[in-house]
Amino acid sequence: MRRLPSLEVIGKYMDGATLIGTPLLGVSVMLAVLSIVAERRWILLLDLKVISTGLAIAIYVGYFVSKRRKQFSTIIMARWTLIGYGFVIISFLSNAYSAFHRWTGE
């Protein structure tokens, strides 16, 4: 049986994954907002998908700010990462209810 990596190694993986994923999520939010603005469909800014993705990016940015200031322990930072991930999952699951990805050709 193989041992699990230490918490220190898992923390480094968590930081690396968040460091890679946050800019990708940021680019997707920027493209979504630019698309909404270009089409002048302002009501879509209040869509569940856009709001949950915006909350996730805010949580991840707050994660990096807090990490830089070394305000919280690793356990609290891991919780915030999981909360941000939860919002990404909510955003993904909200596709069925979201008007943002419905293409009508208008």
Side-chain angles (χ1 to χ4, degrees):
M1 182 184 291
R2 215 172 128 191
R3 289 179 37 185
L4 292 174
S6 68
L7 292 178
E8 201 172 297
V9 172
I10 291 173
K12 288 180 183 179
Y13 286 148
M14 179 182 71
D15 291 341
T18 307
L19 189 62
I20 292 169
T22 302
L24 292 173
L25 187 62
V27 168
S28 73
V29 169
M30 284 190 290
L31 287 174
V33 170
L34 286 174
S35 173
I36 290 169
V37 170
E39 295 176 6
R40 298 178 193 252
R41 298 171 65 187
W42 306 107
I43 195 71
L44 289 179
L45 288 174
L46 299 176
D47 189 68
L48 177 62
K49 183 165 191 64
V50 177
I51 290 172
S52 62
T53 306
L55 284 172
I57 193 83
I59 288 170
Y60 287 134
V61 168
Y63 167 85
F64 284 116
V65 169
S66 297
K67 184 171 173 47
R68 180 79 173 162
R69 292 183 181 174
K70 298 181 181 177
Q71 291 178 327
F72 301 109
S73 69
T74 307
I75 293 172
I76 293 173
M77 299 304 286
R79 286 182 185 151
W80 277 107
T81 300
L82 288 174
I83 291 169
Y85 185 66
F87 276 106
V88 170
I89 290 173
I90 290 170
S91 175
F92 175 73
L93 294 176
S94 70
N95 279 341
Y97 307 105
S98 174
F100 186 74
H101 285 290
R102 290 204 181 107
W103 296 96
T104 60
E106 296 174 7

XYZ file of all heavy atoms in Angstrom:
840
model
N 0.832 -1.163 0.000
C 0.000 0.000 0.000
C 0.895 1.251 0.000
O 1.879 1.307 0.719
C -0.906 0.006 1.228
C -1.827 1.184 1.241
S -2.839 1.329 2.706
C -3.926 -0.021 2.521
N 0.524 2.207 -0.818
C 1.309 3.425 -0.951
C 0.819 4.495 0.010
O -0.377 4.647 0.227
C 1.148 3.927 -2.381
C 2.381 4.563 -2.907
C 2.230 4.860 -4.347
N 2.570 6.266 -4.480
C 2.385 6.975 -5.530
N 1.810 6.465 -6.572
N 2.748 8.221 -5.566
N 1.722 5.252 0.565
C 1.350 6.315 1.505
C 0.900 7.557 0.749
O 1.356 7.834 -0.359
C 2.561 6.686 2.370
C 2.908 5.617 3.352
C 4.096 5.946 4.179
N 4.168 7.353 4.529
C 5.168 7.913 5.170
N 6.202 7.196 5.503
N 5.160 9.189 5.459
N 0.023 8.293 1.368
C -0.402 9.582 0.809
C 0.705 10.607 1.010
O 1.517 10.486 1.938
C -1.679 10.053 1.501
C -2.930 9.232 1.237
C -4.067 9.739 2.114
C -3.316 9.315 -0.215
N 0.760 11.626 0.161
C 1.788 12.659 0.358
C 1.523 13.450 1.634
O 0.402 13.461 2.160
C 1.648 13.545 -0.882
C 0.341 13.218 -1.479
C -0.045 11.865 -1.018
N 2.549 14.109 2.112
C 2.406 14.903 3.328
C 1.498 16.105 3.075
O 1.233 16.488 1.932
C 3.788 15.388 3.788
O 4.293 16.334 2.869
N 1.012 16.693 4.146
C 0.149 17.869 4.035
C 0.880 19.043 3.382
O 0.272 19.848 2.688
C -0.378 18.272 5.403
C -1.369 17.311 6.050
C -1.768 17.814 7.425
C -2.579 17.130 5.172
N 2.166 19.091 3.583
C 2.963 20.147 2.962
C 2.957 20.015 1.436
O 2.776 20.998 0.702
C 4.398 20.059 3.491
C 5.187 21.324 3.341
C 6.518 21.182 4.064
O 6.518 21.016 5.295
O 7.543 21.234 3.361
N 3.105 18.801 0.957
C 3.088 18.547 -0.489
C 1.695 18.810 -1.054
O 1.542 19.423 -2.120
C 3.550 17.099 -0.794
C 3.352 16.744 -2.249
C 5.006 16.933 -0.398
N 0.661 18.365 -0.342
C -0.711 18.612 -0.787
C -0.985 20.120 -0.839
O -1.641 20.613 -1.761
C -1.714 17.890 0.128
C -1.593 16.387 -0.073
C -3.145 18.340 -0.147
C -2.406 15.565 0.896
N -0.470 20.875 0.132
C -0.615 22.330 0.137
C 0.038 22.972 -1.082
O -0.504 23.908 -1.672
N 1.193 22.452 -1.471
C 1.868 22.973 -2.669
C 1.067 22.668 -3.933
O 0.977 23.498 -4.828
C 3.278 22.398 -2.776
C 4.234 22.967 -1.761
C 5.615 22.379 -1.895
C 6.527 22.914 -0.819
N 7.869 22.345 -0.886
N 0.484 21.459 -4.000
C -0.367 21.112 -5.138
C -1.591 22.021 -5.191
O -2.014 22.461 -6.258
C -0.819 19.661 -5.067
C 0.245 18.648 -5.397
C 0.248 17.407 -4.786
C 1.241 18.908 -6.325
C 1.212 16.458 -5.080
C 2.207 17.972 -6.635
C 2.185 16.754 -6.012
O 3.153 15.815 -6.313
N -2.172 22.294 -4.009
C -3.340 23.169 -3.931
C -2.984 24.575 -4.436
O -3.725 25.169 -5.226
C -3.839 23.239 -2.487
C -5.037 24.139 -2.280
S -5.542 24.242 -0.553
C -4.212 25.209 0.152
N -1.858 25.078 -3.998
C -1.422 26.404 -4.441
C -1.167 26.436 -5.949
O -1.549 27.375 -6.629
C -0.151 26.827 -3.701
C -0.405 27.111 -2.236
O -1.574 27.327 -1.861
O 0.577 27.098 -1.463
N -0.518 25.401 -6.455
C -0.226 25.342 -7.886
C -1.477 25.276 -8.738
O -1.600 25.975 -9.746
N -2.416 24.445 -8.314
C -3.665 24.317 -9.075
C -4.458 25.625 -9.040
O -5.026 26.046 -10.059
C -4.502 23.171 -8.508
N -4.477 26.274 -7.898
C -5.189 27.546 -7.779
C -4.482 28.629 -8.585
O -5.134 29.464 -9.218
C -5.297 27.959 -6.301
O -5.864 26.873 -5.555
C -6.169 29.170 -6.120
N -3.169 28.596 -8.598
C -2.400 29.586 -9.356
C -2.620 29.436 -10.857
O -2.653 30.423 -11.590
C -0.913 29.451 -9.023
C 0.018 30.516 -9.555
C -0.352 31.876 -8.964
C 1.451 30.196 -9.200
N -2.811 28.224 -11.326
C -3.075 27.995 -12.750
C -4.537 28.272 -13.087
O -4.853 28.887 -14.108
C -2.687 26.545 -13.132
C -1.180 26.363 -13.058
C -3.199 26.194 -14.526
C -0.727 24.927 -13.155
N -5.442 27.812 -12.233
C -6.866 27.910 -12.530
C -7.451 29.306 -12.413
O -8.380 29.656 -13.156
N -6.938 30.120 -11.501
C -7.510 31.453 -11.291
C -7.375 32.352 -12.517
O -8.360 32.971 -12.915
C -6.892 32.113 -10.045
O -7.144 31.265 -8.912
C -7.485 33.476 -9.785
N -6.219 32.444 -13.155
C -6.154 33.262 -14.376
C -7.050 32.731 -15.496
O -7.653 33.522 -16.235
C -4.685 33.207 -14.789
C -3.946 32.854 -13.563
C -4.872 32.001 -12.762
N -7.161 31.409 -15.615
C -8.056 30.847 -16.632
C -9.504 31.221 -16.352
O -10.253 31.590 -17.269
C -7.905 29.329 -16.688
C -6.584 28.804 -17.213
C -6.514 27.285 -17.057
C -6.401 29.196 -18.658
N -9.902 31.146 -15.088
C -11.251 31.537 -14.713
C -11.452 33.037 -14.932
O -12.512 33.468 -15.399
C -11.514 31.168 -13.251
C -12.923 31.360 -12.721
C -13.892 30.476 -13.494
C -12.976 31.030 -11.247
N -10.431 33.820 -14.641
C -10.510 35.266 -14.868
C -10.691 35.617 -16.330
O -11.492 36.489 -16.679
N -9.973 34.918 -17.198
C -10.110 35.159 -18.638
C -11.516 34.789 -19.095
O -12.133 35.513 -19.880
C -9.041 34.373 -19.433
C -9.336 34.362 -20.916
C -7.664 34.970 -19.180
N -12.050 33.686 -18.590
C -13.397 33.290 -19.000
C -14.437 34.296 -18.521
O -15.393 34.592 -19.241
C -13.727 31.889 -18.491
O -13.956 31.891 -17.100
N -14.264 34.852 -17.323
C -15.194 35.878 -16.830
C -15.079 37.139 -17.678
O -16.099 37.747 -18.040
C -14.932 36.184 -15.345
C -15.687 37.424 -14.884
C -15.315 35.000 -14.481
N -13.865 37.539 -18.018
C -13.696 38.729 -18.857
C -14.340 38.539 -20.228
O -14.998 39.444 -20.741
C -12.210 39.076 -19.009
C -11.617 39.717 -17.787
S -9.968 40.370 -18.043
C -9.007 38.885 -18.209
N -14.154 37.366 -20.823
C -14.781 37.098 -22.119
C -16.303 37.096 -22.018
O -16.995 37.589 -22.915
C -14.295 35.769 -22.680
C -12.865 35.753 -23.203
C -12.459 34.344 -23.599
C -12.714 36.697 -24.375
N -16.823 36.553 -20.933
C -18.279 36.538 -20.741
C -18.826 37.956 -20.619
O -19.822 38.314 -21.263
C -18.632 35.725 -19.502
N -18.167 38.780 -19.826
C -18.626 40.162 -19.645
C -18.488 40.941 -20.949
O -19.387 41.711 -21.322
C -17.864 40.840 -18.483
C -18.147 42.329 -18.429
C -18.241 40.192 -17.156
N -17.395 40.745 -21.672
C -17.236 41.416 -22.970
C -18.319 40.990 -23.954
O -18.836 41.816 -24.715
C -15.855 41.134 -23.551
C -14.689 41.857 -22.892
C -13.370 41.366 -23.462
C -14.822 43.349 -23.059
N -18.676 39.719 -23.938
C -19.749 39.234 -24.803
C -21.081 39.871 -24.436
O -21.854 40.272 -25.310
C -19.842 37.710 -24.696
O -20.958 37.233 -25.379
N -21.351 39.966 -23.157
C -22.591 40.593 -22.689
C -22.637 42.057 -23.089
O -23.659 42.557 -23.568
C -22.731 40.428 -21.163
C -23.008 38.965 -20.819
C -23.830 41.320 -20.604
C -22.911 38.649 -19.341
N -21.532 42.755 -22.912
C -21.476 44.178 -23.259
C -21.608 44.368 -24.763
O -22.329 45.261 -25.230
C -20.168 44.807 -22.721
C -19.963 46.199 -23.265
C -20.188 44.823 -21.202
N -20.938 43.540 -25.556
C -20.983 43.678 -27.006
C -22.389 43.449 -27.553
O -22.803 44.109 -28.511
C -20.008 42.700 -27.664
N -23.110 42.523 -26.943
C -24.465 42.232 -27.393
C -25.521 43.106 -26.723
O -26.700 43.002 -27.041
C -24.788 40.756 -27.139
C -23.933 39.812 -27.948
C -24.203 38.356 -27.603
O -25.131 38.093 -26.825
O -23.477 37.498 -28.126
N -25.082 43.933 -25.780
C -25.971 44.825 -25.018
C -27.116 44.058 -24.363
O -28.251 44.494 -24.351
C -26.507 45.934 -25.903
C -25.415 46.824 -26.437
C -25.992 47.869 -27.356
N -24.931 48.519 -28.084
C -24.530 49.757 -27.852
N -25.091 50.468 -26.917
N -23.556 50.268 -28.575
N -26.776 42.915 -23.798
C -27.757 42.091 -23.079
C -27.449 42.182 -21.591
O -27.026 41.231 -20.959
C -27.697 40.656 -23.587
C -28.063 40.548 -25.062
C -27.803 39.187 -25.616
N -28.667 38.192 -24.976
C -28.555 36.889 -25.172
N -27.616 36.429 -25.983
N -29.355 36.048 -24.581
N -27.653 43.355 -21.028
C -27.236 43.691 -19.671
C -27.876 42.785 -18.615
O -27.289 42.556 -17.562
C -27.567 45.146 -19.366
C -26.998 46.077 -20.373
C -27.677 46.760 -21.338
C -25.624 46.416 -20.565
N -26.816 47.504 -22.101
C -25.540 47.315 -21.638
C -24.444 46.041 -19.922
C -24.347 47.848 -22.090
C -23.251 46.577 -20.371
C -23.212 47.472 -21.450
N -29.065 42.273 -18.880
C -29.752 41.421 -17.910
C -28.964 40.149 -17.621
O -29.083 39.562 -16.543
C -31.197 41.105 -18.378
C -32.029 40.540 -17.231
C -31.197 40.152 -19.549
C -32.375 41.538 -16.186
N -28.119 39.743 -18.568
C -27.318 38.531 -18.366
C -26.249 38.709 -17.286
O -25.711 37.727 -16.781
C -26.669 38.088 -19.675
C -27.617 37.517 -20.722
C -26.851 37.138 -21.976
C -28.380 36.338 -20.181
N -25.936 39.951 -16.931
C -24.987 40.165 -15.834
C -25.564 39.674 -14.507
O -24.823 39.434 -13.556
C -24.609 41.642 -15.729
C -23.704 42.170 -16.834
C -23.526 43.664 -16.690
C -22.362 41.467 -16.821
N -26.886 39.525 -14.442
C -27.539 39.027 -13.232
C -27.834 37.531 -13.304
O -28.525 36.989 -12.445
C -28.840 39.800 -12.990
C -28.671 41.300 -12.782
C -30.025 41.970 -12.660
C -27.798 41.582 -11.583
N -27.308 36.859 -14.317
C -27.502 35.429 -14.490
C -26.749 34.664 -13.396
O -25.667 35.071 -12.966
C -26.999 35.020 -15.872
C -27.368 33.605 -16.211
O -28.571 33.362 -16.387
O -26.454 32.760 -16.294
N -27.333 33.549 -12.957
C -26.726 32.752 -11.893
C -25.317 32.292 -12.256
O -24.419 32.308 -11.415
C -27.606 31.538 -11.586
C -27.071 30.562 -10.540
C -26.932 31.258 -9.191
C -27.975 29.366 -10.432
N -25.098 31.932 -13.497
C -23.781 31.459 -13.924
C -22.729 32.561 -13.812
O -21.633 32.345 -13.308
C -23.847 30.931 -15.345
C -22.537 30.357 -15.817
C -22.764 29.541 -17.049
C -21.558 28.732 -17.404
N -21.208 27.733 -16.411
N -23.076 33.744 -14.259
C -22.136 34.871 -14.211
C -21.861 35.273 -12.762
O -20.714 35.512 -12.381
C -22.679 36.055 -15.032
C -21.761 37.255 -14.930
C -22.861 35.651 -16.494
N -22.903 35.300 -11.937
C -22.730 35.695 -10.531
C -21.896 34.664 -9.777
O -20.960 35.032 -9.050
C -24.101 35.896 -9.857
C -24.778 37.141 -10.416
C -23.955 36.009 -8.347
C -26.198 37.345 -9.970
N -22.190 33.373 -9.943
C -21.436 32.351 -9.208
C -19.982 32.290 -9.664
O -19.078 32.099 -8.846
C -22.103 30.985 -9.338
O -22.138 30.559 -10.671
N -19.735 32.494 -10.956
C -18.358 32.512 -11.437
C -17.630 33.753 -10.923
O -16.452 33.681 -10.555
C -18.323 32.459 -12.978
O -19.080 31.334 -13.414
C -16.905 32.333 -13.485
N -18.325 34.876 -10.869
C -17.725 36.091 -10.309
C -17.390 35.928 -8.837
O -16.333 36.386 -8.376
N -18.274 35.272 -8.086
C -17.976 35.004 -6.674
C -16.775 34.077 -6.525
O -15.939 34.281 -5.641
C -19.193 34.400 -5.988
C -20.323 35.361 -5.645
C -21.545 34.594 -5.149
C -19.869 36.348 -4.606
N -16.688 33.076 -7.377
C -15.549 32.151 -7.313
C -14.237 32.887 -7.581
O -13.258 32.688 -6.854
C -15.736 31.013 -8.314
N -14.229 33.745 -8.588
C -12.987 34.475 -8.888
C -12.643 35.435 -7.746
O -11.464 35.592 -7.393
C -13.059 35.196 -10.258
C -11.667 35.667 -10.692
C -13.947 36.378 -10.256
C -10.852 34.653 -11.347
N -13.647 36.041 -7.123
C -13.393 36.932 -5.978
C -12.810 36.146 -4.807
O -11.900 36.625 -4.122
C -14.684 37.637 -5.571
N -13.315 34.947 -4.576
C -12.785 34.112 -3.494
C -11.337 33.730 -3.774
O -10.481 33.790 -2.889
C -13.672 32.867 -3.296
C -14.991 33.280 -2.655
C -12.967 31.814 -2.443
C -16.033 32.197 -2.618
N -11.041 33.352 -5.011
C -9.672 32.976 -5.342
C -8.711 34.160 -5.274
O -7.571 34.018 -4.831
C -9.601 32.317 -6.718
C -10.160 30.915 -6.731
C -11.035 30.507 -7.727
C -9.816 29.996 -5.761
C -11.540 29.221 -7.745
C -10.322 28.708 -5.766
C -11.183 28.331 -6.764
O -11.683 27.064 -6.775
N -9.151 35.331 -5.697
C -8.297 36.522 -5.574
C -8.069 36.839 -4.100
O -6.946 37.149 -3.680
C -8.911 37.714 -6.337
C -8.208 39.009 -5.989
C -8.853 37.466 -7.836
N -9.142 36.740 -3.303
C -8.991 36.931 -1.856
C -8.050 35.908 -1.243
O -7.294 36.215 -0.318
N -8.078 34.699 -1.773
C -7.165 33.642 -1.320
C -5.716 34.076 -1.516
O -4.891 33.964 -0.613
C -7.463 32.355 -2.094
C -6.421 31.274 -1.954
C -6.456 30.400 -0.885
C -5.403 31.125 -2.890
C -5.509 29.395 -0.750
C -4.458 30.142 -2.771
C -4.511 29.269 -1.699
O -3.559 28.294 -1.565
N -5.413 34.589 -2.710
C -4.030 34.994 -2.982
C -3.611 36.209 -2.170
O -2.467 36.292 -1.720
C -3.829 35.240 -4.475
C -3.738 33.986 -5.269
C -4.680 33.681 -6.226
C -2.720 33.079 -5.047
C -4.617 32.513 -6.951
C -2.636 31.895 -5.758
C -3.589 31.618 -6.715
N -4.528 37.141 -1.959
C -4.206 38.311 -1.136
C -3.933 37.878 0.303
O -2.950 38.302 0.920
C -5.351 39.352 -1.203
C -5.162 40.438 -0.170
C -5.445 39.947 -2.601
N -4.796 37.019 0.846
C -4.602 36.532 2.211
C -3.332 35.699 2.339
O -2.627 35.781 3.341
C -5.795 35.693 2.649
O -6.957 36.470 2.678
N -3.045 34.908 1.320
C -1.836 34.088 1.349
C -0.586 34.967 1.322
O 0.388 34.695 2.007
C -1.838 33.122 0.176
C -0.676 32.169 0.166
C -0.875 31.126 -0.899
C 0.305 30.242 -1.084
N 0.897 29.713 0.104
N -0.644 36.017 0.522
C 0.497 36.932 0.428
C 0.757 37.624 1.765
O 1.902 37.823 2.157
C 0.212 37.956 -0.673
C 1.264 38.954 -0.888
C 2.375 38.366 -1.687
N 3.313 39.409 -2.017
C 4.531 39.173 -2.395
N 4.949 37.945 -2.530
N 5.340 40.149 -2.669
N -0.332 37.979 2.455
C -0.201 38.645 3.766
C 0.020 37.670 4.902
O 0.269 38.075 6.029
C -1.456 39.457 4.048
C -1.620 40.634 3.143
C -2.817 41.407 3.544
N -3.032 42.542 2.667
C -4.081 43.320 2.717
N -5.028 43.090 3.599
N -4.196 44.328 1.889
N -0.129 36.384 4.617
C 0.034 35.321 5.614
C -0.863 35.554 6.826
O -0.452 35.439 7.970
C 1.494 35.190 6.028
C 2.391 34.813 4.884
C 3.819 34.669 5.290
C 4.623 34.313 4.056
N 6.018 34.220 4.296
N -2.143 35.858 6.538
C -3.093 36.160 7.599
C -3.672 34.913 8.252
O -4.002 34.940 9.428
C -4.255 36.995 7.045
C -3.869 38.395 6.651
C -5.046 39.147 6.058
O -5.881 38.554 5.411
N -5.085 40.444 6.283
N -3.844 33.841 7.487
C -4.576 32.687 7.982
C -3.741 31.422 7.883
O -2.774 31.349 7.137
C -5.869 32.495 7.181
C -6.778 33.690 7.234
C -6.955 34.487 6.120
C -7.440 34.027 8.401
C -7.789 35.591 6.158
C -8.268 35.123 8.459
C -8.453 35.916 7.334
N -4.183 30.403 8.618
C -3.482 29.116 8.584
C -3.807 28.382 7.278
O -4.718 28.751 6.539
C -3.918 28.259 9.777
O -5.265 27.859 9.631
N -3.065 27.330 7.031
C -3.255 26.543 5.815
C -4.634 25.888 5.782
O -5.243 25.774 4.721
C -2.160 25.473 5.711
O -0.878 26.105 5.824
C -2.235 24.727 4.398
N -5.136 25.497 6.941
C -6.456 24.856 6.998
C -7.541 25.837 6.564
O -8.431 25.485 5.778
C -6.729 24.314 8.415
C -5.770 23.169 8.715
C -8.178 23.872 8.561
C -5.811 22.687 10.136
N -7.483 27.057 7.033
C -8.473 28.066 6.639
C -8.345 28.378 5.160
O -9.352 28.519 4.447
C -8.326 29.333 7.513
C -8.713 29.001 8.953
C -9.166 30.470 6.965
C -8.467 30.103 9.938
N -7.115 28.448 4.671
C -6.910 28.713 3.246
C -7.453 27.556 2.392
O -8.039 27.783 1.335
C -5.430 28.936 2.955
C -4.834 30.128 3.687
S -5.687 31.667 3.391
C -5.151 32.010 1.755
N -7.293 26.335 2.869
C -7.836 25.182 2.148
C -9.361 25.238 2.126
O -9.988 24.906 1.114
C -7.361 23.887 2.801
N -9.958 25.670 3.217
C -11.424 25.820 3.243
C -11.887 26.841 2.223
O -12.882 26.631 1.522
C -11.892 26.215 4.632
C -11.847 25.089 5.617
C -12.371 25.499 6.960
N -12.198 24.414 7.907
C -12.025 24.582 9.182
N -12.020 25.799 9.703
N -11.876 23.552 9.983
N -11.180 27.962 2.144
C -11.569 28.984 1.160
C -11.406 28.470 -0.270
O -12.194 28.784 -1.148
C -10.768 30.267 1.377
C -11.374 31.104 2.455
C -10.886 31.295 3.711
C -12.608 31.822 2.386
N -11.749 32.089 4.411
C -12.807 32.432 3.636
C -13.569 32.000 1.395
C -13.923 33.217 3.908
C -14.677 32.785 1.668
C -14.845 33.376 2.908
N -10.380 27.674 -0.488
C -10.197 27.076 -1.814
C -11.365 26.144 -2.141
O -11.886 26.160 -3.256
C -8.867 26.300 -1.873
O -7.799 27.207 -1.612
C -8.650 25.678 -3.230
N -11.793 25.356 -1.170
C -12.931 24.463 -1.390
C -14.227 25.241 -1.604
O -15.069 24.841 -2.415
C -13.069 23.492 -0.216
C -12.018 22.402 -0.142
C -12.177 21.590 1.137
C -12.098 21.501 -1.358
N -14.402 26.344 -0.902
C -15.592 27.182 -1.107
C -15.585 27.753 -2.525
O -16.610 27.755 -3.216
C -15.670 28.286 -0.039
C -15.973 27.669 1.331
C -16.722 29.334 -0.396
C -15.818 28.633 2.491
N -14.424 28.232 -2.976
C -14.304 28.727 -4.346
C -14.597 27.638 -5.355
O -15.291 27.861 -6.352
N -14.105 26.441 -5.084
C -14.362 25.307 -5.968
C -15.852 24.968 -5.983
O -16.411 24.619 -7.016
C -13.527 24.109 -5.527
C -13.622 22.920 -6.448
C -13.125 22.995 -7.738
C -14.204 21.741 -6.032
C -13.212 21.907 -8.597
C -14.295 20.656 -6.873
C -13.796 20.741 -8.151
O -13.889 19.678 -8.986
N -16.486 25.102 -4.826
C -17.929 24.880 -4.748
C -18.699 25.841 -5.639
O -19.666 25.458 -6.309
N -18.271 27.100 -5.669
C -18.925 28.067 -6.544
C -18.679 27.753 -8.022
O -19.547 27.980 -8.860
C -18.479 29.496 -6.221
C -19.260 30.102 -5.101
C -18.695 30.264 -3.859
C -20.567 30.515 -5.285
C -19.402 30.816 -2.819
C -21.298 31.067 -4.255
C -20.709 31.221 -3.013
N -17.517 27.222 -8.341
C -17.262 26.798 -9.724
C -18.192 25.644 -10.093
O -18.748 25.607 -11.201
C -15.778 26.403 -9.910
C -15.553 25.731 -11.253
C -14.887 27.625 -9.784
N -18.403 24.711 -9.168
C -19.322 23.596 -9.426
C -20.753 24.113 -9.576
O -21.492 23.671 -10.461
C -19.208 22.542 -8.316
C -17.861 21.838 -8.424
C -20.347 21.526 -8.400
C -17.552 20.893 -7.306
N -21.167 25.055 -8.720
C -22.501 25.656 -8.855
C -22.639 26.313 -10.220
O -23.670 26.181 -10.883
C -22.756 26.664 -7.718
C -22.931 25.937 -6.384
C -23.973 27.540 -8.012
C -22.950 26.844 -5.186
N -21.603 27.006 -10.637
C -21.626 27.646 -11.950
C -21.786 26.611 -13.054
O -22.553 26.811 -14.001
C -20.338 28.446 -12.152
O -20.273 28.972 -13.439
N -21.072 25.504 -12.932
C -21.174 24.451 -13.936
C -22.567 23.823 -13.954
O -23.156 23.606 -15.012
C -20.117 23.372 -13.678
C -20.219 22.198 -14.599
C -19.829 22.307 -15.916
C -20.706 20.986 -14.148
C -19.917 21.227 -16.780
C -20.808 19.904 -14.994
C -20.413 20.025 -16.312
N -23.111 23.546 -12.776
C -24.428 22.919 -12.688
C -25.561 23.865 -13.076
O -26.650 23.405 -13.407
C -24.656 22.373 -11.278
C -23.743 21.217 -10.865
C -24.007 20.832 -9.421
C -23.906 20.029 -11.786
N -25.295 25.156 -13.053
C -26.343 26.120 -13.395
C -26.515 26.290 -14.901
O -27.349 27.082 -15.339
C -26.054 27.477 -12.751
O -24.941 28.090 -13.362
N -25.747 25.553 -15.706
C -25.878 25.645 -17.159
C -27.300 25.378 -17.631
O -27.782 26.011 -18.564
C -24.923 24.679 -17.860
C -23.523 25.221 -17.948
O -23.296 26.408 -17.819
N -22.576 24.332 -18.155
N -27.985 24.439 -16.991
C -29.345 24.092 -17.408
C -30.326 25.244 -17.145
O -31.330 25.367 -17.846
C -29.808 22.841 -16.673
N -30.041 26.064 -16.148
C -30.941 27.152 -15.777
C -30.464 28.513 -16.276
O -31.137 29.511 -16.099
C -31.098 27.201 -14.260
C -31.507 25.871 -13.686
C -30.600 25.083 -13.001
C -32.790 25.390 -13.869
C -30.972 23.849 -12.489
C -33.177 24.163 -13.357
C -32.258 23.401 -12.665
O -32.625 22.188 -12.168
N -29.306 28.547 -16.864
C -28.692 29.803 -17.269
C -29.173 30.223 -18.652
O -29.279 29.415 -19.566
C -27.168 29.647 -17.293
O -26.558 30.798 -17.799
N -29.443 31.509 -18.784
C -29.807 32.061 -20.096
C -28.552 32.468 -20.876
O -28.633 32.774 -22.054
C -30.720 33.266 -19.905
N -27.411 32.446 -20.219
C -26.184 32.918 -20.861
C -25.753 32.030 -22.017
O -25.295 32.500 -23.036
C -25.058 33.009 -19.832
C -23.812 33.619 -20.391
C -23.734 34.972 -20.628
C -22.731 32.835 -20.732
C -22.598 35.540 -21.153
C -21.593 33.394 -21.270
C -21.523 34.745 -21.473
N -25.913 30.730 -21.893
C -25.453 29.810 -22.921
C -26.561 29.369 -23.880
O -26.356 28.458 -24.660
C -24.796 28.579 -22.297
C -23.434 28.871 -21.761
N -22.362 29.131 -22.551
C -22.973 28.959 -20.497
C -21.295 29.369 -21.821
N -21.640 29.277 -20.562
N -27.674 29.992 -23.818
C -28.744 29.659 -24.764
C -28.565 30.512 -26.012
O -28.654 31.725 -25.974
C -30.106 29.927 -24.136
C -30.393 28.950 -23.059
C -31.880 28.807 -22.816
N -32.080 27.870 -21.737
C -32.455 28.210 -20.527
N -32.707 29.454 -20.235
N -32.602 27.289 -19.600
N -28.299 29.865 -27.128
C -28.077 30.570 -28.374
C -29.390 30.622 -29.155
O -29.948 29.605 -29.511
C -27.013 29.874 -29.214
C -25.694 29.908 -28.530
C -25.157 28.935 -27.752
C -24.768 30.981 -28.531
N -23.947 29.326 -27.270
C -23.678 30.580 -27.747
C -24.731 32.228 -29.120
C -22.581 31.391 -27.535
C -23.625 33.024 -28.899
C -22.580 32.605 -28.119
N -29.858 31.818 -29.398
C -31.110 31.969 -30.137
C -30.892 32.518 -31.526
O -31.811 32.577 -32.322
C -32.069 32.913 -29.384
O -31.439 34.188 -29.243
C -32.430 32.349 -28.026
N -29.693 32.961 -31.826
C -29.388 33.503 -33.141
C -29.881 34.922 -33.338
O -29.935 35.413 -34.436
N -30.202 35.585 -32.244
C -30.696 36.971 -32.344
C -29.560 37.954 -32.364
O -28.558 37.800 -31.817
C -31.608 37.273 -31.168
C -32.841 36.420 -31.182
C -33.685 36.624 -29.941
O -33.373 37.527 -29.137
O -34.637 35.892 -29.771
